[in-house]
């Protein structure tokens, strides 16, 4: 009797765990999200790292190739080709290290059907669960060639390959669109299509979290808004803003500016918690340096102080600084500040 009860409890627990896991993005799905978002914004440096992680997670070479090819339709040939070349470099480096990655299913190059437009139209109907007119209303009637490209090439030539499932392809599309500014209507449409393929709201929440990590809170919030989830504040209450007023000994000015430029660049590039380090000097008095510093929070600032590039800056310029005053600031209008950052993108 006890054995039967134990077996029943174990089976129930296993079923619940499996159901929970199905609600989460797995490692392969998460990799498709990160690869797609980084390709869309052209972040090659981080893309290289995520491509390695994707291969380690079990994504096949041809699965990644298919994702990068598909992305040209959403973020253009230059971003797609740059990502493909980066992937080739990653594979060459891994091969040189003796790593043999899984090739995966063979990629279909040719699509020999009698009517590609009809093939693509039916694929889109399957994905959207909505009747698709011929030509598409609106843009298709106004510019028939783009409707033809959409149906015959994207939803026929590209989607005919079963190397990626429809669900995987929608993860790729949603991730790219979520990373780009000004395509909210297309993002909303593809989130609906993604749900038709079985993508859950919980998985979309996790997708948004990855977009926040690799792109920005602003872009992640576009996904959260569409699926009706709470938005993450762009500006946190403990965000740290400071103006550094520095006077430099004249004979060291050029050397100081060179070191400061290198430090500011490294901080913004390498530290996620550094929102901005913006050095300037007064036109009428070049020895007077001003730096606008913005950190996500105090913890990010403390981390910044320990970085090698800041330590190098601090020790190298100590003799160059005649005076230093650090002025902590508080934001008056956080909403307008968000608009400023949107313009800078």
């Amino acid at each position: 009797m006890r054995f039967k009860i134990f077996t029943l409890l174990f089976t129930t627990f296993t079923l619940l765990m499996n159901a929970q896991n199905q609600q989460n993005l797995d490692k392969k799905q998460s990799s498709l999200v990160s690869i797609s978002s980084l390709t869309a914004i052209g972040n090659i440096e981080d893309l290289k790292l995520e491509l390695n992680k994707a291969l380690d997670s079990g994504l096949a070479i041809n699965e990644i190739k298919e994702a990068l090819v598909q992305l040209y339709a959403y973020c253009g040939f230059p971003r797609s080709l740059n990502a493909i070349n980066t992937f080739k470099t990653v594979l060459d480096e891994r091969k040189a290290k003796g790593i043999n990655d899984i090739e995966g299913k063979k990629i279909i190059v040719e699509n020999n059907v009698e009517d590609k437009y009809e093939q693509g139209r039916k694929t889109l109907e399957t994905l959207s669960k909505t009747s698709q007119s011929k030509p598409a209303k609106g843009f298709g009637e106004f510019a028939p060639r783009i409707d033809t490209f959409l149906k015959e090439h994207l939803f026929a030539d590209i989607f005919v390959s079963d190397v990626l499932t429809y669900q995987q392809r929608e993860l790729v599309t949603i991730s790219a669109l979520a990373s780009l500014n000004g395509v909210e209507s297309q993002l909303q449409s593809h989130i609906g299509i993604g749900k038709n393929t079985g993508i859950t709201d919980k998985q979309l929440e996790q997708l948004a979290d990855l977009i926040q990590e690799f792109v920005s809170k602003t872009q992640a919030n576009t996904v959260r808004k569409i699926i009706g989830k709470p938005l993450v504040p762009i500006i946190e209450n403990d965000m740290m803003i400071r103006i550094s007023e520095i006077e430099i000994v004249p004979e060291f000015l050029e050397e100081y500016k060179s070191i400061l430029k290198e430090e500011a660049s490294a901080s913004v590039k390498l530290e996620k918690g550094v929102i901005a380090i913006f050095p300037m000097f007064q036109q009428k008095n070049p020895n007077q340096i001003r730096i606008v510093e913005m950190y996500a929070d105090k913890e990010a600032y403390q981390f910044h102080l320990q970085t090698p590039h800041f330590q190098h800056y601090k020790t190298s310029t100590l003799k160059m600084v005649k005076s230093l005053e650090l002025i902590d600031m508080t934001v008056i209008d956080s909403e307008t500040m968000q608009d400023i950052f949107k313009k800078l993108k």
Side-chain angles (χ1 to χ4, degrees):
M1 182 66 177
R2 287 181 179 177
F3 178 77
K4 288 183 178 180
I5 293 174
F6 175 79
T7 302
L8 179 62
L9 289 172
F10 179 78
T11 302
T12 303
F13 176 77
T14 302
L15 290 172
L16 287 172
M17 289 299 294
N18 288 338
Q20 184 178 8
N21 289 335
Q22 289 171 1
Q23 292 289 314
N24 294 317
L25 291 174
D26 60 30
K27 288 183 179 181
K28 292 183 180 182
Q29 290 171 323
S30 296
S31 287
L32 283 175
V33 172
S34 62
I35 288 170
S36 302
S37 65
L38 291 168
T39 297
I41 63 173
N43 184 343
I44 296 300
E45 186 173 338
D46 286 343
L47 175 61
K48 191 173 181 180
L49 296 174
E50 292 303 313
L51 286 168
N52 275 289
K53 290 181 183 178
L55 291 166
D56 291 338
S57 75
L59 268 178
I61 293 172
N62 285 345
E63 289 176 321
I64 297 174
K65 280 184 183 178
E66 274 293 285
L68 299 180
V69 168
Q70 179 182 321
L71 282 167
Y72 101 84
Y74 297 97
C75 55
F77 269 119
R79 293 281 165 90
S80 175
L81 291 173
N82 288 345
I84 288 170
N85 284 328
T86 301
F87 186 39
K88 182 179 181 302
T89 299
V90 166
L91 289 175
D92 289 342
E93 290 174 352
R94 290 171 69 90
K95 189 175 181 180
K97 293 176 183 177
I99 302 173
N100 296 313
D101 294 300
I102 303 168
E103 189 76 22
K105 286 185 179 181
K106 185 178 180 180
I107 296 174
I108 297 174
V109 178
E110 295 183 356
N111 179 28
N112 300 315
V113 294
E114 202 169 305
D115 189 344
K116 284 188 183 181
Y117 185 96
E118 187 61 19
Q119 181 189 31
R121 191 183 69 81
K122 287 182 177 179
T123 298
L124 189 52
E125 281 189 341
T126 299
L127 289 165
S128 64
K129 297 185 178 179
T130 304
S131 177
Q132 300 293 319
S133 60
K134 180 180 180 179
K137 293 180 180 179
F139 74 87
E141 296 168 329
F142 180 70
R145 272 169 60 80
I146 196 68
D147 184 47
T148 299
F149 295 155
L150 183 73
K151 302 296 196 309
E152 292 188 3
H153 189 45
L154 176 58
F155 289 110
D157 287 337
I158 292 179
F159 269 66
V160 74
S161 170
D162 64 352
V163 171
L164 293 178
T165 65
Y166 283 173
Q167 185 181 95
Q168 287 174 314
R169 290 192 181 278
E170 283 308 311
L171 277 175
V172 168
T173 300
I174 292 168
S175 302
L177 293 175
S179 304
L180 300 171
N181 188 31
V183 291
E184 286 80 4
S185 62
Q186 290 88 348
L187 175 61
Q188 184 167 9
S189 295
H190 277 281
I191 283 178
I193 291 173
K195 288 184 178 183
N196 290 341
T197 68
I199 299 173
T200 66
D201 277 353
K202 186 172 182 182
Q203 288 173 324
L204 289 168
E205 280 189 79
Q206 293 169 340
L207 181 148
D209 291 341
L210 289 170
I211 298 299
Q212 179 172 318
E213 178 182 352
F214 292 111
V215 186
S216 70
K217 291 180 182 178
T218 300
Q219 290 306 126
N221 278 343
T222 61
V223 178
R224 296 182 180 115
K225 183 178 180 181
I226 290 170
I227 63 176
K229 300 299 178 182
L231 305 185
V232 171
I234 303 300
I235 299 176
E236 301 289 352
N237 293 331
D238 60 345
M239 186 175 77
M240 187 173 171
I241 305 173
R242 165 177 288 172
I243 296 176
S244 298
E245 296 187 349
I246 309 169
E247 183 178 358
I248 302 301
V249 177
E251 63 186 277
F252 293 119
L253 180 58
E254 294 307 314
E255 185 181 359
Y256 174 83
K257 286 195 296 184
S258 177
I259 296 171
L260 173 59
K261 181 180 177 181
E262 183 179 338
E263 192 278 333
S265 175
S267 298
V268 173
K269 187 176 182 180
L270 301 176
E271 299 178 59
K272 291 185 177 180
V274 175
I275 299 170
I277 293 184
F278 190 43
M280 301 164 282
F281 62 86
Q282 293 182 9
Q283 291 183 3
K284 292 183 178 180
N285 190 357
N287 297 328
Q288 292 291 334
I289 305 292
R290 301 292 182 266
I291 308 173
V292 177
E293 303 177 48
M294 301 178 68
Y295 306 93
D297 48 38
K298 291 181 179 179
E299 183 179 349
Y301 173 66
Q302 292 300 323
F303 177 84
H304 168 72
L305 296 181
Q306 305 304 316
T307 58
H309 46 270
F310 177 78
Q311 289 295 320
H312 172 70
Y313 161 79
K314 183 179 178 180
T315 55
S316 300
T317 62
L318 196 59
K319 66 180 180 181
M320 306 176 187
V321 177
K322 187 174 181 180
S323 65
L324 168 64
E325 185 174 2
L326 305 177
I327 306 170
D328 290 327
M329 309 296 289
T330 300
V331 176
I332 295 175
D333 185 355
S334 59
E335 292 182 5
T336 300
M337 183 181 287
Q338 295 177 40
D339 292 334
I340 292 171
F341 285 123
K342 286 180 183 177
K343 283 191 172 185
L344 288 175
K345 283 191 172 184

